[in-house]
């Protein structure tokens, strides 16, 4: 039976590629999408999700908008990475279909209550919606089949030397999420930087016709770091979180206790990962079968491309 996924996201180049995977994999049933402010503002992440739904034709999947600001402090965006629109060089038609009437937080709670133990919750943006949902209904931690984030790291950050963007953007929310009564699958930077759209990957993706030209390549090759001598292709961070639900066999993981630094002047948003703790609250993928990952992703994208005029 297909695995049900509810994706909370901030599209975002790699969020859009993650949505494409969740939509295209026949072994995944995408049951809902919720949006959060992150890479760009909430209005844009939401209109990007709506535009992707119509472009990819998953019109029956509800989309609900959520929080536009972190629980505490100033909004931090990443338009310098994802482009002003959030979707890099992809230009999709304006969406016409409406949002679900509910706030994302209510949508998440309602969905998990309606299908206890059946929905895999995946978060690929700042964790504001998830923290608000946990505060409103702590029982969701036991109702989700699993909970996977793209966020954090156990070595270095990317938003700052210490902090990965999704955690940095709302450290208080991340702290609530790691303290909840579930195991967090923390697909962090150390893992996702292994999943790069290198030259050979891009060449293979380029064979996928209209879908490649209009969507995949404009997303996966937008960010070129001319200053990084070791640059080896854009990492598709968020795709790894969805892939982990569908294909956990592609990942090697270790249990860990993860706590979030909320106040450090230099370390706010850092995930402090203790692999030796006797009280783990997380599972942290540390190694990726890179060839297997791309074979899987390219196969699914190929399925979508075959039906995309
Ligand atoms: C994460 O931050 C965002 O910019 C990406 O979409 C991804 O979720 C990587 O640090
Ligand atoms: Ca994201």
């Amino acid at each position: 039976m297909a695995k049900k996924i509810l994706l909370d996201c901030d599209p975002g180049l790699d969020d859009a590629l993650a949505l494409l995977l969740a939509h295209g994999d026949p072994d995944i049933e995408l049951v809902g999408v919720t949006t959060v402010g992150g890479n760009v503002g909430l209005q844009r992440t939401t209109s990007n999700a709506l535009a992707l739904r119509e472009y990819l034709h998953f019109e029956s999947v509800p989309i609900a908008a959520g929080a536009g600001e972190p629980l505490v402090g100033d909004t931090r965006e990443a338009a310098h990475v994802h482009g002003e629109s959030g979707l890099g060089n992809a230009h999709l038609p304006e969406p016409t279909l409406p949002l679900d009437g509910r706030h994302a937080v209510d949508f998440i709670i309602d969905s998990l209550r309606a299908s206890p133990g059946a929905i895999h919750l995946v978060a690929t943006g700042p964790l504001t919606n998830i923290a608000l949902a946990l505060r409103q209904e702590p029982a969701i931690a036991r109702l989700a089949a699993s909970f996977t984030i793209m966020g954090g790291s156990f070595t270095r950050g990317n938003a700052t030397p210490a902090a990965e963007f999704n955690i940095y953007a709302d450290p208080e929310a991340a702290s609530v999420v790691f303290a909840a009564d579930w195991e967090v699958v923390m697909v962090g930077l150390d893992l996702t930087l292994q999943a790069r759209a290198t030259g050979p990957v891009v060449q293979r993706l380029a064979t996928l016709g209209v879908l490649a030209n209009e969507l995949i390549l404009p997303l996966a090759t937008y960010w070129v770091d001319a200053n990084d001598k070791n640059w080896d292709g854009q990492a598709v961070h968020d795709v790894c979180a969805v892939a982990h639900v569908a294909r956990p066999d592609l990942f090697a993981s270790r249990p860990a206790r993860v706590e979030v630094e909320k106040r450090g002047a230099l370390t706010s948003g850092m995930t402090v990962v203790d692999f030796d703790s006797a009280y783990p609250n997380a599972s942290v993928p540390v190694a990726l079968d890179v060839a297997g990952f791309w074979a899987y992703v390219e196969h699914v994208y190929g399925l979508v491309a075959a039906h995309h005029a």
Side-chain angles (χ1 to χ4, degrees):
M1 213 173 46
K3 287 181 174 169
K4 295 183 195 302
I5 286 186
L6 196 171
L7 182 61
D8 184 74
C9 58
D10 62 334
L13 306 170
D14 52 332
D15 300 82
L17 291 167
L19 256 176
L20 176 59
L21 187 72
H23 155 65
D25 185 342
D27 293 328
I28 293 176
E29 184 193 348
L30 184 61
V31 296
V33 176
T34 50
T35 58
V36 64
N39 290 320
V40 288
L42 178 69
Q43 232 184 340
R44 283 207 162 125
T45 60
T46 303
S47 64
N48 288 343
L50 291 168
L52 284 158
R53 175 172 69 177
E54 287 175 47
Y55 178 77
L56 293 170
H57 296 299
F58 54 91
E59 286 90 349
S60 61
V61 177
I63 299 180
E69 288 165 10
L71 297 185
V72 179
D74 296 333
T75 302
R76 289 159 164 162
E77 297 183 356
H80 58 291
V81 177
H82 298 260
E84 280 307 311
S85 77
L87 293 184
N89 286 329
H91 304 289
L92 305 181
E94 285 292 314
T96 57
L97 299 174
L99 281 167
D100 189 277
R102 287 166 285 181
H103 189 280
V105 169
D106 296 317
F107 181 87
I108 291 168
I109 294 170
D110 289 353
S111 303
L112 294 176
R113 273 188 185 145
S115 304
I119 295 178
H120 299 265
L121 184 59
V122 179
T124 60
L127 293 163
T128 321
N129 288 339
I130 311 297
L132 289 169
L134 282 165
R135 280 187 175 167
Q136 198 167 309
E137 178 51 288
I140 64 162
R142 291 184 297 281
L143 294 174
S146 69
F147 176 59
T148 305
I149 68 166
M150 187 284 132
S153 72
F154 53 87
T155 54
R156 293 175 60 81
N158 57 358
T160 73
E164 182 281 328
F165 175 77
N166 287 336
I167 309 297
Y168 180 69
D170 196 342
E172 277 75 15
S175 177
V176 169
V177 163
F178 277 102
D181 191 13
W182 55 16
E183 177 189 75
V184 180
V185 179
M186 188 187 96
V187 181
L189 277 183
D190 308 281
L191 187 291
T192 62
L193 289 172
Q194 299 170 42
R196 288 180 183 271
T198 58
V201 170
V202 168
Q203 272 179 12
R204 294 195 301 269
L205 290 171
T207 63
L208 298 180
V210 177
L211 186 70
N213 295 335
E214 291 184 352
L215 189 70
I216 299 174
L217 297 181
L219 295 171
T221 63
Y222 176 73
W223 175 245
V224 176
D225 192 340
N227 300 315
D228 183 350
K229 285 197 282 297
N230 299 317
W231 178 254
D232 193 20
Q234 189 176 308
V236 292
H237 308 283
D238 296 342
V239 179
C240 300
V242 171
H244 189 276
V245 175
R247 291 290 308 276
D249 58 296
L250 297 171
F251 301 76
S253 302
R254 295 177 63 189
R257 174 124 210 121
V258 179
E259 308 280 353
V260 179
E261 178 60 67
K262 290 181 282 186
R263 289 184 201 86
L266 299 174
T267 53
S268 170
M270 179 178 183
T271 44
V272 180
V273 180
D274 180 1
F275 287 114
D276 296 324
S277 172
Y279 305 100
N281 61 350
S283 171
V284 181
V286 293
L288 178 68
D289 170 354
V290 176
F293 169 81
W294 281 113
Y296 162 61
V297 171
E298 289 168 31
H299 170 70
V300 173
Y301 287 1
L303 295 177
V304 181
H307 295 101
H308 197 86

